[in-house]
Amino acid sequence: METLTTDRVIIVGAGLGALYAALKLAPHPVVMISPEALGEGASSAWAQGGVAAAMDADDSPESHADDTVNAGAGTVDPQVAELVTRQARDYILDLTTLGTPFDRTAGGDYVLSREAAHSFARVVRVKGDQAGAQIMAALIEQVHETPSIQVLERTMALGLDVEDGRVTGVSIQRADNGGSAPVMLRGAAVLLAGGGSGGLYALTTNPPRIRGQVIGMAARAGALIADAEFVQFHPTAMDVGEDPAPLATEALRGEGAILINRHGARFMQAIHPDAELAPRDVVARAIYAQVQAGNRPMLDTREVLGEAIKAQFPSVAEYCARNGIDPAQEPIPVAPAAHYHMGGIATETSGCASIDGLWVCGEASSTGLHGANRLASNGLLEALVYARICAEGIARTLPTPSATPPLEITFQDGGTPSDPAAVPELRQTMTRYVGVIRDRKGLIKALGIIARLEAANSDNPSFLNMCATATLIAAGALAREESRGAHERSDFPDPSAGPGKRSEMYLSQALAIRAQACKEQS
C-alpha cells in the first residue's frame, strides 16, 4: 500500500463536527476526508429541527440538562449533560457570527420551537426546517476562505493504522462504486467525525453513505464502543417509498400537528400525557404499532398550519410535492425510520477514544450525552461542543503551525466492490430483526446473516466496517435483556431494576456473542 505522510491533522468526515473542528484548528493545517462533494451527503445538512439551547430569559441550561437526563431513560452522564447545555448559548452566538441566518422575531430575538421531551421552547431554527443545511452552508463558506484547510472530496476512509497502541494513520480510497487501491495517509493526529449508522437500516432518514463505516473502522482497530444497541428511530419519516425517507420534522408537532390513523383517530393521547410531544421512542413505538396493525399512521398539519406549512417548512413542503401530497389538504403518511445512533465510539470528556491518538466528535461518538434516547435537537449541539473540545485537545499536541503544501494523491485502480446484493440484504436484516421492536430469536437470526454476509465479502474493507457496526448493534441488543429508551425487547418489556447502566463492548466481545448465536442456529 502506498504511504503518504503529512503534517496535517486528518479529519474523517465533512459534516458539522468536521467543519467546525477544522475551523477551530486553524491555522494548524488540516485535511478533511469527504466521501462526497463538500456539503453533500452529510447527515448534518439534512437536520431539520435545529440546535437546542436555553436562549429564552425564562429558560436555563439546568432545565435543558434535566430534560436531557430525563429523555435518556437513566443512562445519560449528568456531568456531560451539564457540560454541553451550559455552553449551548455560546455556540448559537458563534454560529450567528459565522453567518448562520437563524430565524428571528421582529424584535431581533431568536425564534424558538418546542420539540419532544423538552419542557421549554429552546430549539433555534433556520427557515423553519433548514437548520442543518443553512449552518453547513455558513461553515463551508468559512472553510473555503481558510487556507489551512484542504478537503479531499469524493474520498472515503477505510481503516485506521495502529502501531504500539496508537493510531498513526488512515487508509483511504476513491469513493466511487469501483473504489481504488488504498493509500495510507499518516498525519499529525486523527479525528473521526464521519456520522452514525442509520443507513444500515432499509428504512432510514440518513444520507446513503452513512452506514456505520466510521464506527466500524474504529471498532476493527480495537476501540471501545459504548451503547451500540441504542438506535433512535425518528417517529415521522415520510412513508412514501423513497430511500432515504424524507423527514417530517418534529417541529411540526411542536407547532401542534397531530398524529392520526387511516380512520382519522388520534392515538397518542391514550399513550402518553404529552401526546405527540412524548419522547421519540414512545412516539416511534406507537406509530410502529399502527403500521403493524395496518392502520396507516399519518401526520396531520391541516388545521394547525394549513397553507402556511409551505412557507414555514419549505423542505417538508417540497418532499410532499414531489410525492403528490398537498399537506394543506391531506395528512402525510409516516413511519419510524432509523435516524440517529446514540451509541458509537466511547469518547471521554476530552474527546479522546480508548486508543491513543484518536479523537471523535459527532454522531460517531458516544459521549454519554444521549443515553438510551437522544433529546430532540441535541445532536447538532453535541457535535459543535465536542468538535471544539477535540480541536483544542489536538492543538495542544501540535507544534507551532506552519505553511504546509496541499496533499497530491493519485489513486490507482484496484478497488474491490462488494456484492451489489450484500448491502441491501444487510439493511433489510437490520430493519426486520434489529429495528423498533426486538427479541432474542430475531437478534440471533440477524447475527447469523451478518456473519454470512461478512464472510462472503471479506476482501471489501468498507463492507466489513458496516458489518462490524451491525454486529455491535445486534450483539449489544441481545446482551441487554431489558427495554430502555429506544431499545425495546418484546421478550423483556420492562427496564431492569435499579439505575440504568451504559454498555461497553469491544468488537472481539461482539464477535464472541455472534459466534455463540451462530452455534445456536446450526
Side-chain angles (χ1 to χ4, degrees):
M1 184 187 305
E2 180 185 358
T3 299
L4 293 176
T5 302
T6 177
D7 292 332
R8 294 177 180 270
V9 175
I10 303 168
I11 299 180
V12 176
L16 181 65
L19 293 165
Y20 200 67
L23 290 169
K24 293 304 175 184
L25 274 163
H28 291 286
V30 164
V31 58
M32 294 172 57
I33 311 300
S34 175
E36 312 285 353
L38 194 58
E40 300 176 8
S43 294
S44 304
W46 292 27
Q48 291 183 5
V51 184
M55 303 298 288
D56 192 290
D58 294 329
D59 196 6
S60 69
E62 292 77 17
S63 175
H64 186 182
D66 287 345
D67 289 347
T68 299
V69 170
N70 291 335
T75 57
V76 171
D77 183 329
Q79 291 182 319
V80 173
E82 192 273 335
L83 164 73
V84 172
T85 58
R86 185 181 69 242
Q87 298 183 28
R89 180 184 178 87
D90 295 340
Y91 287 90
I92 299 300
L93 299 177
D94 191 29
L95 289 176
T96 303
T97 301
L98 290 171
T100 303
F102 288 114
D103 294 346
R104 301 293 191 100
T105 66
D109 294 329
Y110 292 92
V111 173
L112 303 172
S113 297
R114 185 182 170 209
E115 294 187 357
H118 285 275
S119 60
F120 212 90
R122 64 166 69 93
V123 178
V124 185
R125 305 186 316 193
V126 185
K127 297 181 181 177
D129 58 7
Q130 297 184 37
Q134 293 293 325
I135 295 170
M136 286 279 288
L139 295 184
I140 287 169
E141 184 175 344
Q142 294 291 324
V143 164
H144 284 320
E145 295 174 0
T146 304
S148 60
I149 301 173
Q150 179 183 3
V151 182
L152 294 180
E153 295 184 317
R154 297 181 177 84
T155 304
M156 177 171 283
L158 295 177
L160 298 174
D161 188 58
V162 180
E163 293 182 4
D164 299 323
R166 184 176 183 83
V167 171
T168 58
V170 180
S171 62
I172 59 175
Q173 72 172 180
R174 195 171 57 229
D176 55 27
N177 290 334
S180 66
V183 172
M184 178 59 66
L185 185 58
R186 300 197 189 281
V190 176
L191 169 62
L192 298 183
S197 61
L200 284 174
Y201 289 80
L203 186 56
T204 181
T205 63
N206 284 198
R209 289 195 192 272
I210 308 298
R211 292 179 177 160
Q213 296 98 322
V214 172
I215 296 169
M217 73 173 68
R220 292 177 64 212
L224 181 65
I225 306 300
D227 293 343
E229 64 273 24
F230 293 129
V231 177
Q232 185 170 73
F233 297 87
H234 197 291
T236 53
M238 292 173 58
D239 188 15
V240 291
E242 288 191 27
D243 180 26
L247 186 63
T249 174
E250 200 157 285
L252 293 167
R253 284 176 279 139
E255 292 291 319
I258 59 172
L259 288 163
I260 61 173
N261 60 27
R262 65 186 179 90
H263 305 293
R266 289 181 71 179
F267 51 87
M268 282 307 304
Q269 293 165 306
I271 293 172
H272 194 279
D274 289 338
E276 280 80 6
L277 290 177
R280 281 184 173 178
D281 63 306
V282 176
V283 183
R285 284 192 290 274
I287 292 175
Y288 182 76
Q290 294 288 321
V291 172
Q292 294 299 101
N295 283 337
R296 188 63 165 164
M298 295 172 282
L299 184 68
D300 191 349
T301 68
R302 292 174 294 182
E303 183 175 344
V304 68
L305 286 169
E307 289 289 339
I309 189 175
K310 296 168 186 177
Q312 292 183 31
F313 297 92
S315 293
V316 173
E318 179 191 338
Y319 302 150
C320 287
R322 73 185 185 214
N323 286 284
I325 299 168
D326 182 352
Q329 301 294 326
E330 55 192 314
I332 304 166
V334 293
H339 181 63
Y340 191 94
H341 197 170
M342 279 79 74
I345 305 158
T347 306
E348 298 176 2
T349 307
S350 63
C352 294
S354 62
I355 310 176
D356 287 346
L358 183 64
W359 281 263
V360 196
C361 70
E363 194 175 347
S365 70
S366 181
T367 64
L369 176 68
H370 303 307
N373 194 35
R374 177 182 67 118
L375 182 66
S377 291
N378 265 359
L380 295 182
L381 173 61
E382 180 198 44
L384 292 165
V385 172
Y386 275 85
R388 185 163 74 179
I389 287 172
C390 289
E392 292 172 348
I394 291 169
R396 286 193 289 270
T397 71
L398 301 175
T400 303
S402 59
T404 300
L407 285 163
E408 294 185 8
I409 301 176
T410 302
F411 290 109
Q412 304 297 323
D413 291 341
T416 308
S418 60
D419 174 357
V423 171
E425 184 176 1
L426 177 62
R427 297 178 70 202
Q428 290 289 347
T429 297
M430 294 297 287
T431 288
R432 182 174 182 183
Y433 300 116
V434 201
V436 177
I437 307 292
R438 304 157 173 182
D439 62 24
R440 178 180 175 80
K441 181 179 178 182
L443 292 168
I444 288 175
K445 177 78 170 175
L447 287 165
I449 295 171
I450 296 166
R452 171 175 57 77
L453 291 172
E454 183 181 287
N457 294 272
S458 59
D459 56 351
N460 186 285
S462 183
F463 189 73
L464 294 181
N465 291 334
M466 296 182 211
C467 288
T469 302
T471 296
L472 283 154
I473 295 170
L478 185 59
R480 187 174 285 274
E481 294 184 334
E482 64 165 349
S483 291
R484 184 176 296 276
H487 168 70
E488 179 77 6
R489 286 280 299 264
S490 60
D491 47 351
F492 292 94
D494 299 316
S496 298
K501 296 180 180 179
R502 298 185 66 197
S503 67
E504 293 184 337
M505 188 177 291
Y506 290 100
L507 180 58
S508 58
Q509 295 169 300
L511 291 173
I513 292 171
R514 191 177 79 181
Q516 181 59 39
C518 290
K519 272 187 183 179
E520 290 188 27
Q521 292 183 82
S522 60

